[in-house]
Amino acid sequence: MAAAAIEMRSMATVVAAVAAAQRTAAAVLATAALLGAFAVDRVRRRTREFLRALARAMQLVTNERPGLRLDPVDGGELDLVARHFNMMTRALERSREESQRRSAELETRVQERTAELERANAALRTLDSAKDAFLANVSHELRTPLTSIVAASEILAAPDSDEPEMRREFVGIVSQEARRL
């Protein structure tokens, strides 16, 4: 009986030890679950904060500050996203600078070409004025002798112009003015 009592006591000790181990394991598991929940919550919060900061940064880059950079967060995937964002903003900045440089270059070329066209236009106006003066001069130079020729021809063609001396005089005028032309 004594052996049975010892065996019972030892069984009770084992059961108590198992129960204590189970309670300890349950407490460890509960603590681990609680720590895991806190860790997941923390990661979720940091990720949400990072994504909000990323969205704000994207809006700023779009509207106001193309050179904005994101700071590293945790050395993990979020840092990778931040590095790629920073690479993208640097590329955008270079692209904008290149675009501004080209725009300034084109503006200079447009101004130079405009100046060339204005000079060419002024030269054409000068030539146009010279042409007008030339035509007015030529017209005057032609009109004067032609008027004399027409008048003399009309007098010669008149039926009452039978005087030979007068005819010779008018034929001489026609001949002289024709040579002048």
Side-chain angles (χ1 to χ4, degrees):
M1 238 219 124
I6 291 180
E7 196 175 305
M8 270 303 224
R9 231 185 285 157
S10 112
M11 183 90 113
T13 305
V14 169
V15 168
V18 167
Q22 285 177 338
R23 282 192 302 275
T24 303
V28 167
L29 284 175
T31 303
L34 190 58
L35 288 175
F38 283 135
V40 166
D41 187 54
R42 185 165 186 247
V43 167
R44 186 179 309 134
R45 266 187 282 129
R46 288 187 75 196
T47 302
R48 189 177 314 124
E49 288 169 7
F50 177 79
L51 291 175
R52 284 182 183 147
L54 179 63
R56 279 191 307 271
M58 289 165 60
Q59 187 176 20
L60 286 172
V61 165
T62 301
N63 298 326
E64 303 167 17
R65 296 176 45 203
L68 182 71
R69 303 291 187 266
L70 290 179
D71 294 327
V73 178
D74 63 358
E77 289 82 7
L78 296 181
D79 276 354
L80 180 65
V81 171
R83 279 195 308 275
H84 283 282
F85 178 84
N86 292 342
M87 287 171 30
M88 177 194 68
T89 58
R90 276 192 294 277
L92 278 172
E93 203 169 20
R94 283 191 302 269
S95 177
R96 283 184 181 164
E97 288 168 359
E98 179 66 17
S99 177
Q100 288 172 345
R101 185 188 64 75
R102 286 185 180 174
S103 180
E105 208 173 85
L106 285 174
E107 184 62 33
T108 300
R109 287 175 57 193
V110 165
Q111 289 173 352
E112 289 170 355
R113 186 64 178 136
T114 300
E116 283 177 29
L117 291 173
E118 286 173 351
R119 285 190 299 274
N121 197 13
L124 287 174
R125 281 194 297 272
T126 301
L127 288 174
D128 191 46
S129 295
K131 173 204 56 135
D132 289 346
F134 174 76
L135 289 177
N137 223 3
V138 166
S139 173
H140 176 71
E141 291 297 321
L142 288 174
R143 203 174 309 123
T144 302
L146 285 175
T147 302
S148 298
I149 292 172
V150 168
S153 300
E154 286 174 353
I155 291 172
L156 287 172
D160 60 345
S161 62
D162 289 335
E163 292 183 35
E165 186 62 37
M166 195 166 80
R167 285 178 83 80
R168 263 192 300 261
E169 181 184 337
F170 285 114
V171 168
I173 291 173
V174 168
S175 176
Q176 178 187 358
E177 294 297 330
R179 272 187 250 120
R180 186 173 151 199
L181 285 175

